[in-house]
Amino acid sequence: MTRIDDTFARLKAEGKKAFVTYVMAGDPSYDASFEVVKGLPAAGVDIIELGLPFTDPMADGSTIQLAGQRALEAGMTLEKTLQMVRDFRALDDTTPIVLMGYYNPIYSRGVDQFLADATDAGIDGLIIVDLPPEEDSELCIPAQAAGLNFIRLATPTTDAKRLPAVLKNTSGFVYYVSITGITGAAEAQAADVAPEVARIKADTDLPLVVGFGVKTPETAQAIAAVADGTVVGSAIVERIGKGESAADVLAFVKSLADGAHRA
């Protein structure tokens, strides 16, 4: 059982849905980013997705692309991202952290070294958006052997033929992308999401959380009501990009968390 498994079991026992947030590590600086990250659990966040800055984030819209650029320009690296997790774990040993990003920085470090460092730092899971199921031997299977959940994305275009491959080695939870396209695009619609969630859950016992296009407490509530939880990323990252204080960002996060937990 990982922290992710424990969190979903606790939430289910409490009759609550999961609220998951994404923030970019190191945006706009290490200290400013960590001020937000360490405040997320108290704002109601159940699972933290921590973005690993990368120069070519193909799945992300301009909001998260710019966040990654700001982080890289501020000197953020994979090593500093791992250090941020260590610093967080010194304060919080229960909230799950999922590292989300692209394979190149991990490949450059070496898979075995990365997995040893990630588990030592206190990372619980990985979402690596540019590694398809056909490449599971590259990172997914070694990560699970190291005790990390490997979380896969399903999308509106993941049809019945493709879905078994997506689910095969997934663990922790399934992340359903509510819209076709990049992060930060259209608003998610619960009426569109509900039948897709039901379709995927018919083939897996894993929790299913929905992200992309969730920007308000009302949408967070509506989406969480038809799934096991919801994810908000770009709407939070956008406020960080505008220079809002950590306190203001966290107040917004709490409003979203309250919405999701009302579902």
Side-chain angles (χ1 to χ4, degrees), residues 62-235:
S62 60
T63 297
I64 291 178
Q65 285 187 18
L66 290 169
Q69 289 176 17
R70 290 190 298 266
L72 291 169
E73 288 167 4
M76 202 63 179
T77 61
L78 173 55
E79 179 54 44
K80 290 182 178 179
T81 303
L82 293 171
Q83 185 59 48
M84 184 173 288
V85 178
R86 296 185 195 102
D87 291 344
F88 180 85
R89 286 283 171 240
L91 306 171
D92 184 321
D93 195 41
T94 58
T95 304
I97 293 181
V98 176
L99 190 68
M100 185 170 186
Y102 298 83
Y103 185 46
N104 184 275
I106 295 169
Y107 177 80
S108 297
R109 193 180 190 89
V111 167
D112 291 344
Q113 186 64 54
F114 167 76
L115 292 174
D117 294 341
T119 53
D120 179 68
I123 289 171
D124 303 289
L126 303 173
I127 300 175
I128 307 301
V129 298
D130 57 346
L131 276 182
E134 289 76 14
E135 305 294 335
D136 275 358
S137 61
E138 193 79 21
L139 179 63
C140 171
I141 291 170
Q144 306 225 57
L148 296 174
N149 289 129
F150 199 90
I151 296 140
R152 191 87 68 193
L153 304 180
T155 74
T157 60
T158 304
D159 60 18
K161 184 178 179 181
R162 182 63 172 168
L163 185 59
V166 170
L167 297 175
K168 182 179 179 183
N169 291 316
T170 299
S171 65
F173 61 91
V174 179
Y175 186 142
Y176 180 70
V177 177
S178 65
I179 56 175
T180 302
I182 54 176
T183 58
E187 185 104 7
Q189 300 295 327
D192 297 332
V193 168
E196 291 296 294
V197 169
R199 176 176 71 89
I200 295 167
K201 285 183 71 66
D203 286 341
T204 181
D205 293 328
L206 290 171
L208 194 149
V209 302
V210 177
F212 285 48
V214 182
K215 304 176 182 180
T216 66
E218 293 75 21
T219 306
Q221 180 177 359
I223 294 296
V226 300
D228 297 304
T230 190
V231 187
V232 180
S234 293

Side-chain angles (χ1 to χ4, degrees), residues 7-30:
T7 295
F8 277 107
R10 173 182 59 78
L11 290 167
K12 185 175 182 179
E14 294 173 356
K16 293 170 67 176
K17 302 300 181 74
F19 181 59
V20 185
T21 55
Y22 171 97
V23 293
M24 180 67 72
D27 173 34
S29 67
Y30 186 100

